Amino acid sequence: MSSTCGSSASSSTFSTSSATERDERQPLLSAKRIVTLAVDWPTSRKIFVIATGVLLILNSTISSSLPAEATPYAMDEFGIVDHREIQGVLPISVALLGYVFGPIVFSPLSETYGRKPILLSAFIIYVISSVACALAPNWPAFLVFRFMVGLSTAAPYAVVGALFADLYSDPIYRGRANCAFLTFSTLETFAPVILSKAGIEDHNDLGGYEKRGLRQDWAAILTRPIRMFGEPIVLFTCLYLAFIFAIWYLFFEAYPIIFQGIYGMSPGRASLAFIPMSFGAACNVFVVVGYDHFLLQAKKRYAPWADIEEYRRLPLACFAGPIYVVALFWLGWSARTDVHWIVPMMAGFPIGLANALLWISLLNYLTDAYEIFAASALASSQISRSLAAALLPMATEPMYSALGVKWATSLLGFITLAMACIPFVFIKYGSYLRERSPFCQLLLQQKRSSHGNDEPILHLPGYGLSTPSTTGSDKLTIGSSILEGVRATFDPASSPQHPLKVILAGHDRGARICHRLCVSASSFPSLSITAAILLDIVPTLTEFQSFANPHSAVGYFHWSFLPNVELATKMIMALGGAAFCTEIHEKSLGGNAKGREKFFADNAAKVYASFFEEQSVVRASCEDYRAAAEEDLQAQEDDQREGRKLKVPTLVMYSERNLGRFFDVRGVWKEWVGKGTSLEVQKVGEDKGHYLPEEAAQEVLRTILEWWELLERQE
């Protein structure tokens, strides 16, 4: 991880013989994209999206089950006499069959052409099909148009989680939006499509997502939801949700059997039995928000479990699964004439609550796990549950007739009990499954290539956007991973006899790593470090020794603050990681207007600061400063005592405004460079501050090139 202070997005260590500096790369996020993307829309626009989404999902929900109580009258209208029990479930079942095929088309296309055109097209088809149902001349035609209604209304359901992946980067807000089943609006939210409309065709910084044309790989696009059944997380989530969804629609047939058959209620009165289910489903909002609050409090206490990905979503499913099982047995065994009808009816409340929590928990987990492929993952779920919901209700009448209400409902309970183990398995093995998932690995590879494909992107534990280091935060440990990554990438066959030649250059923390690696060069026999470029640092030991001067101690207060890892992490997170990082940037920046403009260009500083909203990033940065105060400091004391010096040509550049106020930089470095070793020290003036690669990019580049040309002439 880059350090919190004195280390901008360019603060890295580079092998200049093999890779270009970050300044030459495509910015991580351009200013135009920060303004344009759905995740950065103003709150008012997001509210409009959410409000429109409420209407769309409500429309889809009502449309699928609308004929439930009206089916007998429709059959009378069309003269249906034979097999009325089976024919009676067809208006809902064929609509649900439409839900099976709709996601296969709509979800992957929404990942290719955006959300808006797909939703608009589907809504137009829905309007035409609904009118056609009203004007159908006969029963078969009515069923065909019901299928088209289901096909078109599947679109909002199919990509619900994908919208929130577009609209909300914060998983808390995305989860809360999902808990209300708020889906799409007619505003485009998919980033590649937004960028195309804005005239930005290079989407590599979106994680390598490539927009496809009509002629490009249609088979891969349209079969993606089917192929995702090969993912264990998708497969078992789909099985669980499919069965829960099928039970929901089965109740449209089972409730009349229970409340009309056992308690002799009229159809209208029996339909009121669904009210407790609705109340239970609505109450899920309180449970979800309550758990979010509990999770946030756990993170503030730095509870170890709070940083585990699976604990963000799955505990709600672990809670809801057993509740659903108990509620099914409650319904089945209390539905008898000697028990008041309110008792089995109230079983609907926990059924509705558990049903909603299972949906929210597992669909959010799919969305978080598959991100840009979320629409296809959710489409896989939609296909399976719609197919189950279309077929299982047809077995309701025969099953309840053969087994009776008690054992038919108990059979559902036993199967649900087995399914309830799935979230617990995901909590234990979910990380393992994601690490071995082809789609998750593809997503990770695309993220790593987000700066373009012109050069390899190294995975360097403990540095930048890579995973935290598990072996230490000291400069030698982190630097060793850098050099090993360089060697493995550019010349795996290098050896002491044929070493790979590299030049090390870095700013701030990167420069300190360069210093450590150059002094410890003998530890890397397969590499030949030929030169070092160090930007705006003095040795760590010198830095700490300078704190005897109160003026220096105030100017570099974070050096003594951040090594207190636990306390510093808590205090920074309380203030806000991005806010703290921004304050340090302002403190270290110079007063040169053009330099400041370059530093803030392309919103790079904003994006960089946003990383520090993550507790793990703040903690890793504090660990870096702790290592500087302990392992690194001890290593440099040993260097001085044992006479280990820099023995490669070295260029040092420093800010006259910042470092130059506290140190005789040239005099300091003379004590750390071996006799006869070339040392060039250059100051940067014009009120330019600590961030030399940004504030003085041209001057830094010119000085490096001139210095290198001089070295070549001397050779």
Side-chain angles (χ1 to χ4, degrees):
M1 303 293 174
S2 297
S3 57
T4 304
C5 311
S7 180
S8 72
S10 68
S11 242
S12 304
T13 304
F14 302 109
S15 168
T16 57
S17 64
S18 307
T20 57
E21 295 188 14
R22 187 179 294 273
D23 284 343
E24 298 173 359
R25 294 178 177 176
Q26 186 73 15
L28 182 63
L29 291 176
S30 67
K32 188 173 186 179
R33 182 164 166 253
I34 285 288
V35 173
T36 306
L37 287 191
V39 72
D40 293 294
W41 282 349
T43 302
S44 59
R45 199 175 193 192
K46 289 186 178 181
I47 290 175
F48 174 76
V49 172
I50 292 172
T52 309
V54 173
L55 297 178
L56 281 173
I57 198 65
L58 182 63
N59 178 72
S60 294
T61 303
I62 292 174
S63 297
S64 65
S65 57
L66 190 63
E69 295 299 325
T71 298
Y73 305 104
M75 289 192 293
D76 291 341
E77 176 72 20
F78 291 116
I80 303 300
V81 177
D82 298 330
H83 308 294
R84 286 178 66 92
E85 294 81 4
I86 299 298
Q87 297 271 23
V89 301
L90 289 179
I92 292 179
S93 291
V94 295
L96 292 175
L97 282 176
Y99 274 37
V100 173
F101 294 100
I104 297 176
V105 177
F106 296 133
S107 294
L109 290 181
S110 77
E111 294 172 340
T112 306
Y113 301 105
R115 320 302 186 195
K116 180 177 178 179
I118 302 304
L119 288 168
L120 284 178
S121 300
F123 191 76
I124 291 171
I125 295 172
Y126 162 73
V127 171
I128 295 172
S129 301
S130 296
V131 173
C133 284
L135 302 177
N138 51 52
W139 182 248
F142 174 73
L143 295 179
V144 169
F145 293 131
R146 279 292 297 165
F147 173 82
M148 295 303 296
V149 167
L151 185 74
S152 56
T153 54
Y157 276 122
V159 283
V160 55
L163 172 70
F164 300 131
D166 297 341
L167 200 60
Y168 294 107
S169 58
D170 187 328
I172 298 275
Y173 289 108
R174 184 166 67 233
R176 289 177 181 176
N178 262 332
C179 87
F181 287 114
L182 312 182
T183 54
F184 289 103
S185 74
T186 54
L187 288 174
E188 185 55 66
T189 62
F190 194 46
V193 173
I194 292 176
L195 292 178
S196 292
K197 291 182 178 180
I200 303 174
E201 295 299 332
D202 183 5
H203 307 152
N204 286 336
D205 54 342
L206 291 175
Y209 184 85
E210 180 179 347
K211 186 175 184 290
R212 299 178 181 269
L214 279 170
R215 299 179 181 179
Q216 289 182 286
D217 209 358
W218 267 77
I221 294 172
L222 295 179
T223 60
R224 189 183 299 143
I226 304 299
R227 288 184 286 120
M228 292 195 82
F229 281 115
E231 300 275 312
I233 290 176
V234 175
L235 176 63
F236 287 99
T237 298
C238 288
L239 287 175
Y240 197 0
L241 290 179
F243 193 69
I244 296 299
F245 193 68
I247 291 176
W248 186 267
Y249 277 88
L250 178 146
F251 281 151
F252 286 118
E253 305 298 321
Y255 263 45
I257 294 174
I258 295 172
F259 293 101
Q260 292 177 231
I262 295 177
Y263 292 103
M265 295 182 179
S266 65
R269 189 179 178 189
S271 65
L272 298 178
F274 290 101
I275 292 178
M277 277 192 187
S278 302
F279 275 111
C283 287
N284 85 85
V285 176
F286 301 105
V287 179
V288 171
V289 173
Y291 179 72
D292 282 348
H293 177 73
F294 174 72
L295 180 61
L296 287 173
Q297 293 302 311
K299 286 190 173 185
K300 289 179 180 179
R301 296 193 308 271
Y302 305 105
W305 64 268
D307 289 326
I308 301 174
E309 181 70 23
E310 277 64 33
Y311 279 92
R312 187 189 304 170
R313 305 298 188 194
L314 295 177
L316 291 178
C318 295
F319 168 73
I323 290 178
Y324 201 98
V325 174
V326 170
L328 287 175
F329 284 106
W330 173 357
L331 173 65
W333 288 85
S334 65
R336 57 181 191 265
T337 54
D338 60 328
V339 176
H340 194 275
W341 53 264
I342 194 65
V343 177
M345 190 177 291
M346 289 308 297
F349 182 86
I351 287 174
L353 174 64
N355 183 82
L357 290 176
L358 286 168
W359 272 53
I360 291 161
S361 177
L362 294 173
L363 291 182
N364 273 328
Y365 184 55
L366 282 182
T367 300
D368 291 349
Y370 292 97
E371 296 187 17
I372 201 168
F373 299 120
S376 287
L378 296 176
S380 302
S381 172
Q382 178 72 15
I383 291 167
S384 58
R385 66 178 183 258
S386 298
L387 187 61
L391 299 178
L392 189 58
M394 294 184 182
T396 307
E397 182 72 30
M399 181 174 70
Y400 272 79
S401 297
L403 300 178
V405 171
K406 291 183 180 65
W407 287 107
T409 311
S410 295
L411 177 61
L412 301 177
F414 287 124
I415 298 174
T416 306
L417 177 61
M419 297 284 189
C421 299
I422 291 174
F424 292 94
V425 174
F426 283 167
I427 281 184
K428 185 171 180 62
Y429 299 107
S431 177
Y432 175 88
L433 293 173
R434 285 187 288 110
E435 287 174 1
R436 286 154 181 79
S437 156
F439 277 93
C440 290
Q441 289 304 306
L442 176 61
L443 187 63
L444 179 61
Q445 292 171 12
Q446 290 178 343
K447 285 181 176 180
R448 288 178 182 170
S449 65
S450 61
H451 295 299
N453 299 316
D454 295 335
E455 57 188 74
I457 304 298
L458 305 181
H459 181 70
L460 308 173
Y463 207 78
L465 295 178
S466 298
T467 55
S469 174
T470 57
T471 55
S473 299
D474 61 284
K475 304 301 181 289
L476 183 59
T477 298
I478 301 302
S480 298
S481 70
I482 292 175
L483 289 187
E484 179 55 33
V486 169
R487 191 190 71 82
T489 301
F490 298 108
D491 190 3
S494 62
S495 65
Q497 293 73 33
H498 302 283
L500 173 66
K501 294 183 178 181
V502 297
I503 301 170
L504 297 182
H507 168 258
D508 198 294
R509 185 201 187 201
R512 298 185 188 284
I513 292 176
C514 290
H515 181 202
R516 180 73 265 155
L517 294 177
C518 289
V519 173
S520 303
S522 60
S523 301
F524 312 102
S526 297
L527 296 170
S528 174
I529 301 173
T530 59
I533 301 169
L534 312 177
L535 301 182
D536 212 50
I537 68 162
V538 292
T540 301
L541 177 60
T542 305
E543 192 88 54
F544 276 112
Q545 289 173 341
S546 73
F547 296 163
N549 179 341
H551 185 53
S552 178
V554 171
Y556 292 92
F557 79 95
H558 54 280
W559 276 69
S560 54
F561 167 61
L562 294 176
N564 299 281
V565 177
E566 294 301 324
L567 178 62
T569 300
K570 291 178 182 179
M571 293 177 69
I572 292 171
M573 293 306 294
L575 173 66
F580 181 82
C581 188
T582 301
E583 289 291 336
I584 296 297
H585 282 166
E586 285 290 346
K587 186 177 179 65
S588 303
L589 273 171
N592 185 285
K594 289 185 177 179
R596 293 178 64 87
E597 181 182 350
K598 290 178 180 178
F599 180 82
F600 289 109
D602 297 321
N603 278 300
K606 176 182 176 182
V607 173
Y608 177 78
S610 70
F611 296 153
F612 291 87
E613 287 300 305
E614 294 292 333
Q615 176 185 314
S616 60
V617 176
V618 174
R619 181 180 292 275
S621 297
C622 293
E623 284 287 352
D624 173 55
Y625 277 87
R626 181 208 55 75
E630 296 177 5
E631 297 101 288
D632 297 339
L633 189 66
Q634 183 63 53
Q636 290 197 351
E637 288 177 344
D638 294 343
D639 291 342
Q640 289 295 80
R641 184 175 57 256
E642 298 172 15
R644 290 192 293 266
K645 308 284 186 179
L646 281 165
K647 295 182 179 180
V648 297
T650 302
L651 169 65
V652 175
M653 297 186 69
Y654 69 95
S655 164
E656 184 180 27
R657 168 193 169 102
N658 279 26
L659 206 63
R661 286 189 299 163
F662 305 109
F663 302 99
D664 172 13
V665 179
R666 182 181 299 275
V668 167
W669 279 107
K670 281 183 178 180
E671 299 297 322
W672 292 79
V673 175
K675 290 183 179 180
T677 301
S678 171
L679 171 66
E680 182 71 20
V681 180
Q682 294 282 348
K683 68 180 178 182
V684 177
E686 299 180 349
D687 207 23
K688 293 176 180 175
H690 172 64
Y691 301 106
L692 297 182
E694 291 86 3
E695 296 180 75
Q698 293 301 318
E699 185 175 351
V700 169
L701 178 60
R702 183 176 63 253
T703 301
I704 290 174
L705 292 176
E706 291 174 353
W707 172 72
W708 186 251
E709 289 173 0
L710 177 63
L711 287 180
E712 288 184 326
R713 287 198 301 269
Q714 290 175 349
E715 291 180 357

